[in-house]
Amino acid sequence: MRYSILFFTLFLIHSCQKPVNRPVFSEVIVEVLYEDSLSIRAIELMGGSLGFAANKGVFGTIDLQTKRVRTNSQKYDSIFPEFRAITHTSTDFFMLSVANPALLYKTGDMGKMELVYVEDGENVFYDAMAFWNDKEGIAIGDTVGGCLSIIITRDGGYSWAKLPCDQLPQ
């Protein structure tokens, strides 16, 4: 009986889907927007610009109309972070570094990046993040001691909290 209900549910879901017409591509044109000695590992489309973050603490934007590149760098004590993840909301830009310490920055009210989360740990390694609305976001990292690293925000990125292992699947 259980399998009949599951099969019927899957059948309904599949049969209700409309076919999607996807465009057929015959070629791809690659346009160089920015060249440097940086290792850019995070990009994000933000309206008419492309945000990026890289090694050496460098981050910036490229205006996709004018091709104007704006860069800046972020330093923490004597460390130039290795950024691997960025995201944005309608009002803010976020960037997250890998390795120890993990550093999460948010655009500040005074035009500078503000540090909103720090995590020290030998094996800490966050490498992905996203917001599903302007208030709620998530960052995910590698497992440490068998526990997935997940931090969340519910206030637009002003504060972040790490989920304890007992609230996560193994």
Side-chain angles (χ1 to χ4, degrees):
M1 180 67 178
R2 235 186 278 177
Y3 293 111
S4 299
I5 293 171
L6 176 63
F7 177 75
F8 182 70
T9 304
L10 291 174
F11 174 76
L12 283 177
I13 291 171
H14 181 69
S15 66
C16 293
Q17 293 177 349
K18 294 180 183 178
V20 177
N21 292 327
R22 292 188 171 88
V24 176
F25 295 99
S26 60
E27 67 178 320
V28 174
I29 299 171
V30 176
E31 180 182 349
V32 176
L33 298 176
Y34 179 58
E35 281 188 285
D36 200 317
S37 63
L38 297 171
S39 176
I40 297 173
R41 301 286 184 98
I43 59 173
E44 176 94 355
L45 286 172
M46 304 184 310
S49 66
L50 178 75
F52 67 89
N55 63 329
K56 302 178 186 176
V58 175
F59 64 98
T61 59
I62 301 170
D63 184 302
L64 297 175
Q65 295 285 24
T66 66
K67 309 297 189 252
R68 181 176 178 201
V69 178
R70 302 176 98 177
T71 63
N72 206 334
S73 65
Q74 187 66 50
K75 188 176 180 181
Y76 176 78
D77 291 335
S78 62
I79 299 169
F80 287 98
E82 302 279 329
F83 294 113
R84 290 291 192 283
I86 64 172
T87 191
H88 75 287
T89 62
S90 64
T91 58
D92 291 300
F93 174 80
F94 297 84
M95 55 190 188
L96 179 61
S97 72
V98 296
N100 185 26
L103 306 167
L104 176 55
Y105 289 91
K106 166 191 177 311
T107 48
D109 297 331
M110 303 305 288
K112 293 184 179 181
M113 297 303 287
E114 293 178 1
L115 186 62
V116 291
Y117 183 79
V118 177
E119 184 176 330
D120 289 303
E122 183 180 337
N123 296 320
V124 66
F125 197 97
Y126 285 92
D127 45 17
M129 68 178 173
F131 273 79
W132 48 90
N133 58 46
D134 279 348
K135 294 291 183 189
E136 299 172 300
I138 188 169
I140 301 175
D142 294 356
T143 59
V144 176
C147 179
L148 191 61
S149 297
I150 298 178
I151 57 175
I152 60 169
T153 183
R154 297 200 186 281
D155 63 3
Y158 287 95
S159 63
W160 294 78
K162 186 165 184 164
L163 295 180
C165 290
D166 61 0
Q167 291 183 8
L168 300 171
Q170 292 184 358

